[in-house]
Amino acid sequence: MDIKNIETGTDGAALIAQPGVSPTSGGLAAGVAMCLMSMSSIQFGAALSSSAIATYGVAGATWLRLAFAAIILAVVVRPSVLRYSGAQWRATLLLGTTTAAMTLCFFAAIQRLPLGLAIAIDFLGPLSVAVFGYGLTWRLAWPLIAAAGILFLAHDGEGWVGNLPGVLFALGSAVGWAVYILLTKKVGAAFKGLEGLSMSLLVAGLVATPFGLAETGGAFTLKGLAEVLGLAILVPLLPYALEMVALRRMPSASFGILMSLEPALGALAGFLILAQPMTALQMLGTALVVAASAGATASAAKT
């Protein structure tokens, strides 16, 4: 059974998969555009993060990003904290905790691995969402093609690149990303506008606080804080907002496979900003994940 749409329960929190309901072409196109903007923001924001990580460490830079993003969005959205139901609170607590863990693992991974490889491993999360969402149908060809591309991206022509801690952090981020996709769909349906995202970012900032304080020791500079504030808009504020809106316009499975573009954009950002080279094999991998993403999106629009 394909996951085509969702129906909210009486409290807006329960999600029930509905078969046979197709997203409108306009809604799907808007969702695709938002996903592309989100992915670009994440990859180039990650590539520009080396200075902040060097100054505050992985946990410190991640905590400051989440805190700044949470404060900015809370000022804009002004969530009605005291009016939410128990189900809404549980959903945001889960999403916020997942967001903090996923972000900490992601930035720990890119500190240890080339950006393209880290994103390739991280992509196993949305790939699994796509596989389980589409089920045992011919559409499994798209994630299989994407998986082949990921393997090529993870090889430099001479051997596999990276180290075990980096790979483990990337795998942790992948698990978090898969859970994040499903929880974001649920939270987006349970709240009006971006209130759910605002609440989950507040939770994420609080969860990351002890880790961030332990690493930074409270030693901040105005220049460093200004740099992290700009990076917080690139990652996580802008992409998380775009993804939450996009997941209201497209099925989780389509969203998951569309994110197969992420390794290609990560490799491109690593090449342009960090001067991390791409071999012919990695370029082939980029072509495969782009083809898989385009094919999966086109097939979702026709069903």
Side-chain angles (χ1 to χ4, degrees):
M1 180 182 72
D2 294 350
I3 300 176
K4 297 301 181 187
N5 209 338
I6 58 170
E7 178 179 294
T8 59
T10 55
D11 63 355
L15 297 180
I16 305 173
Q18 299 296 311
V21 181
S22 299
T24 64
S25 59
L28 183 62
V32 169
M34 291 175 189
C35 286
L36 291 174
M37 289 188 289
S38 169
M39 287 185 285
S40 298
S41 181
I42 289 173
Q43 299 316 314
F44 286 92
L48 292 168
S49 297
S50 56
S51 175
I53 291 176
T55 302
Y56 296 117
V58 170
T62 300
W63 166 55
L64 289 172
R65 284 172 183 269
L66 290 170
F68 278 133
I71 292 169
I72 292 170
L73 195 58
V75 170
V76 173
V77 175
R78 291 180 293 179
S80 303
V81 177
L82 300 179
R83 297 182 182 179
Y84 297 137
S85 67
Q88 288 173 308
W89 270 107
R90 287 191 293 272
T92 55
L93 287 171
L94 285 172
L95 179 57
T97 302
T98 299
T99 299
M102 174 185 69
T103 309
L104 285 166
C105 286
F106 174 70
F107 284 105
I110 67 172
Q111 188 186 35
R112 295 167 171 83
L113 302 175
L115 186 58
L117 174 58
I119 299 300
I121 298 172
D122 198 23
F123 173 71
L124 292 174
L127 182 64
S128 66
V129 172
V131 170
F132 289 113
Y134 278 142
L136 298 176
T137 69
W138 66 270
R139 292 187 183 87
L140 278 177
W142 301 124
L144 290 175
I145 293 171
I150 290 168
L151 289 176
F152 291 156
L153 277 167
H155 201 280
D156 65 0
E158 298 180 356
W160 303 107
V161 182
N163 57 60
L164 182 58
V167 170
L168 291 176
F169 277 121
L171 287 172
S173 181
V175 173
W177 197 1
V179 177
Y180 164 83
I181 290 172
L182 299 176
L183 290 177
T184 297
K185 187 96 173 177
K186 183 173 183 177
V187 170
F191 290 85
K192 297 183 297 181
L194 296 177
E195 290 185 21
L197 176 61
S198 179
M199 291 297 298
S200 65
L201 279 178
L202 288 169
V203 171
L206 290 173
V207 170
T209 295
F211 302 98
L213 283 177
E215 188 155 15
T216 63
F220 307 115
T221 64
L222 287 178
K223 180 181 178 181
L225 291 175
E227 179 183 3
V228 177
L229 174 60
L231 291 171
I233 295 173
L234 284 176
V235 186
L237 184 57
L238 181 60
Y240 288 2
L242 288 169
E243 288 173 6
M244 180 162 285
V245 177
L247 278 164
R248 288 177 176 147
R249 297 171 176 265
M250 60 197 308
S252 297
S254 297
F255 177 90
I257 192 61
L258 180 62
M259 302 308 278
S260 64
L261 279 172
E262 197 90 57
L265 289 173
L268 178 61
F271 175 73
L272 293 177
I273 298 176
L274 302 176
Q276 295 173 348
M278 291 181 66
T279 65
L281 192 67
Q282 289 170 326
M283 292 179 184
L284 176 59
T286 299
L288 286 175
V289 292
V290 170
S293 176
T297 305
S299 64
K302 294 176 181 178
T303 55

